[in-house]
Amino acid sequence: SQQGEEDPQALSIQEGENATMNCSYKTSINNLQWYRQNSGRGLVHLILIRSNEREKHSGRLRVTLDTSKKSSSLLITASRAADTASYFCATDPQGAQKLVFGQGTRLTINP
Amino acid sequence: NAGVTQTPKFQVLKTGQSMTLQCAQDMNHEYMSWYRQDPGMGLRLIHYSVGAGITDQGEVPNGYNVSRSTTEDFPLRLLSAAPSQTSVYFCAASPGRIYEQYFGPGTRLTVT
């Protein structure tokens, strides 16, 4: 089964609103990453948060990590049409040499 | 600096045929990996490599082989294609699994 699971699977909001996506995982991790994928393209790295960090910002992106709940959230503020994409979390489980991706959240920004 | 390149972009195979998906990177990164992406399944790890000469299996390795003779190249071989291998395949490279992964543009494979 997947290490990381995103919630919701799909999200549709109006331009200018904030979008929040969540990621839950099962085992202890070293870090967690978020990626964006535009339709038909490869994944692009957005942000990495380490297990000893609780919050990280990058432009309009804010990521939080709660290791006690084994969950992370990605907040996109003041959304734009160009933010329409799928968003994936990826975890680096402790003791494993692998990076494991979740199933993704499909975000649609309506004009 | 091309980053990660994948060839071909599209491929149609008949059941039972074999082929190799090519992946090359010019960033001198040690860690490379192959994923397949299916609708509703996200990305699933097929094989990965932590350096030249070292490979290991991911979640869904059956039906696929890899080798890593150089730092730059990490080809994925389909031994005997099956319709279940119809998917989009992505190659990625990075300094290590704990770092940002750089993805190629993908290969869309259809097996009939």
Side-chain angles (χ1 to χ4, degrees), chain B residues 47-110:
Chain B
H47 286 285
Y48 65 98
S49 169
V50 298
I54 306 169
T55 63
D56 206 346
Q57 297 180 349
E59 301 170 72
V60 287
N62 292 341
Y64 307 94
N65 271 359
V66 291
S67 59
R68 184 95 180 270
S69 56
T70 67
T71 298
E72 294 77 22
D73 299 299
F74 191 42
L76 178 72
R77 280 183 288 277
L78 278 69
L79 309 174
S80 177
S84 61
Q85 294 179 304
T86 293
S87 188
V88 181
Y89 291 84
F90 289 100
C91 177
S94 78
R97 77 187 186 283
I98 66 171
Y99 300 102
E100 170 183 354
Q101 305 292 307
Y102 297 90
F103 280 83
T107 293
R108 186 174 295 274
L109 175 69
T110 302

Side-chain angles (χ1 to χ4, degrees), chain A residues 17-90:
Chain A
E17 294 180 337
N18 296 341
T20 299
M21 288 157 272
N22 303 297
C23 171
S24 59
Y25 56 92
K26 296 180 177 135
T27 64
S28 296
I29 60 173
N30 296 309
N31 66 55
L32 186 145
Q33 303 180 38
W34 284 92
Y35 289 79
R36 183 187 73 231
Q37 183 182 34
N38 291 95
S39 181
R41 309 290 291 273
L43 278 73
V44 174
H45 182 263
L46 295 176
I47 200 163
L48 181 152
I49 186 165
R50 303 195 188 285
S51 60
N52 61 354
E53 297 176 310
R54 291 297 166 258
E55 188 170 310
K56 208 160 182 181
H57 296 256
S58 177
R60 294 184 295 113
L61 305 181
R62 172 177 168 252
V63 168
T64 61
L65 179 64
D66 187 334
T67 53
S68 66
K69 295 182 180 177
K70 292 187 170 58
S71 67
S72 174
S73 66
L74 170 66
L75 168 67
I76 304 174
T77 60
S79 63
R80 306 167 180 169
D83 294 328
T84 293
S86 292
Y87 292 81
F88 295 87
C89 68

Side-chain angles (χ1 to χ4, degrees), chain B residues 22-49:
Chain B
Q22 301 292 345
C23 175
Q25 53 111 353
D26 61 1
M27 299 175 287
N28 202 34
H29 288 332
E30 292 294 328
Y31 188 88
M32 295 187 75
S33 52
W34 276 103
Y35 293 87
R36 59 177 289 174
Q37 185 175 33
D38 304 294
M41 298 292 289
L43 273 77
R44 291 184 291 171
L45 181 65
I46 305 172
H47 286 285
Y48 65 98
S49 169

